[in-house]
Amino acid sequence: MGLSSRTTEGTQIITVQCDRIDAAMAIQFKEDMRAETENDTRRVILDLSNVEFIDSSGLGAIVASMKQLGDERRLDLAGLHPVVEKVFRLTRMDTVFKLFNSLDEALSAGSN
Amino acid sequence: MKHNCEQDSMELSFPATEVEASVGIAKLRNQLTAHGLPAARADDVKIALAEAINNVVEHAYAGMPPETVRINCMMCRETLEVRIEDTGHPMPGLKPPDGKPPVIGNIRQDLPEGGFGWFLIHQLASKIKYERHKGYNRLSLWFDFPKSA
């Protein structure tokens, strides 16, 4: 699937190294996210800037990734392409996640 | 058949598996863009088609060896018609689902992880038609592209 991760000042940044998250890779994505987030970082930012397309299975896998963090840790999303953002908006999942235009914006917003 | 609408058409087919569908949908997205699909609505078409094709892979061929998904796109004046055909099971009740969206509540662990496919298709396509023919399904989706947009 291809995720890369780094932690800066208590925030974990996970970058998706893949141009799409769809039905063919949703299960793998969820598993990889579980493995990457087995720590106690309070805030995780998922950098989606390489992701040019997402379908409802990919969306579901991102929701599942947030659920497996438990209720105390947050998952924010950054760098959404317009078509990816559209899927979040149409399904109203934009009301569940904080969406940031870029990783820099997400980092400077802090966790509040 | 209106002859002038047949001129700008394209076809694509691939085996109905998740991996082949993923590649096929990506190819289709590129082709639609190359055919001068207006950018404003190109994303809508891509999202709806991906959902419709995933449904074929997941439901039409459930419990049987997957065969081919055939896609036919016809640009006709200000409308794009896309036909998706498969030889799998008919849709339950011989009609497409209404596409009611899952409820999004305040409890994180209860958030829906699926059930958005038909909702998205209904939101994005201007018309939906399902036909069961002898041994195959045909789902037709229409997308309007007003010239002024």
Side-chain angles (χ1 to χ4, degrees):
Chain A
M1 169 74 214
L3 299 179
S4 64
S5 169
R6 65 192 163 98
T7 301
T8 170
E9 293 170 18
T11 296
Q12 185 182 11
I13 300 159
I14 299 177
T15 304
V16 182
Q17 306 288 359
C18 203
D19 67 354
R20 54 190 188 263
I21 309 175
D22 61 17
M25 46 201 94
I27 292 171
Q28 190 63 49
F29 173 82
K30 187 177 154 181
E31 292 300 313
D32 292 355
M33 281 294 285
R34 186 195 298 277
E36 288 290 351
T37 56
E38 273 179 346
N39 54 57
D40 46 17
T41 324
R42 301 278 300 174
R43 185 186 187 212
V44 179
I45 302 173
L46 185 64
D47 176 7
L48 293 170
S49 55
N50 296 321
V51 179
E52 293 166 9
F53 190 74
I54 191 173
D55 65 12
S56 65
S57 302
L59 175 82
I62 293 176
V63 174
S65 303
M66 180 178 69
K67 286 160 80 167
Q68 60 197 18
L69 288 179
D71 289 334
E72 302 302 320
R73 302 163 67 198
R74 51 175 312 122
L75 179 65
D76 293 339
L77 309 178
L80 287 77
H81 282 240
V83 63
V84 175
E85 193 186 337
K86 182 145 203 181
V87 172
F88 276 84
R89 211 171 57 235
L90 286 168
T91 56
R92 300 193 52 77
M93 280 295 173
D94 60 339
T95 61
V96 170
F97 293 91
K98 264 194 184 173
L99 311 184
F100 295 93
N101 289 325
S102 67
L103 183 56
D104 283 350
E105 215 173 272
L107 283 169
S108 59
S111 52
N112 297 319
Chain B
M1 283 292 158
K2 292 173 195 128
H3 183 70
N4 57 342
C5 300
E6 292 295 305
Q7 289 173 355
D8 200 6
S9 69
M10 57 189 182
E11 285 178 30
L12 186 70
S13 60
F14 45 85
T17 67
E18 283 183 346
V19 173
E20 295 285 352
S22 176
V23 174
I25 291 161
K27 211 180 278 177
L28 196 60
R29 294 207 312 269
N30 292 338
Q31 287 187 11
L32 288 169
T33 308
H35 271 243
L37 195 70
R41 290 217 63 204
D43 287 348
D44 294 356
V45 176
K46 296 167 187 176
I47 294 167
L49 290 193
E51 297 303 332
I53 293 165
N54 285 339
N55 283 337
V56 170
V57 173
E58 217 178 305
H59 302 296
Y61 289 114
M64 63 192 279
E67 290 182 31
T68 304
V69 189
R70 284 203 345 229
I71 320 283
N72 207 307
C73 302
M74 282 160 289
M75 197 69 179
C76 184
R77 293 185 198 91
E78 297 178 8
T79 304
L80 172 73
E81 179 185 349
V82 185
R83 288 182 191 161
I84 300 164
E85 294 179 352
D86 65 80
T87 54
H89 301 295
M91 283 194 194
L94 295 178
K95 62 182 176 66
D98 318 330
K100 283 207 188 77
V103 175
I104 296 180
N106 292 322
I107 300 166
R108 181 185 283 197
Q109 295 306 327
D110 291 345
L111 286 171
E113 294 175 30
F116 287 109
W118 275 104
F119 171 70
L120 287 169
I121 297 169
H122 279 276
Q123 291 272 297
L124 298 169
S126 49
K127 190 175 142 194
I128 299 171
K129 187 171 151 195
Y130 169 74
E131 298 155 272
R132 176 69 187 182
H133 293 277
K134 204 170 185 176
Y136 72 98
N137 298 303
R138 176 188 287 167
L139 179 70
S140 307
L141 304 177
W142 283 265
F143 301 89
D144 295 326
F145 301 100
K147 284 275 192 291
S148 54

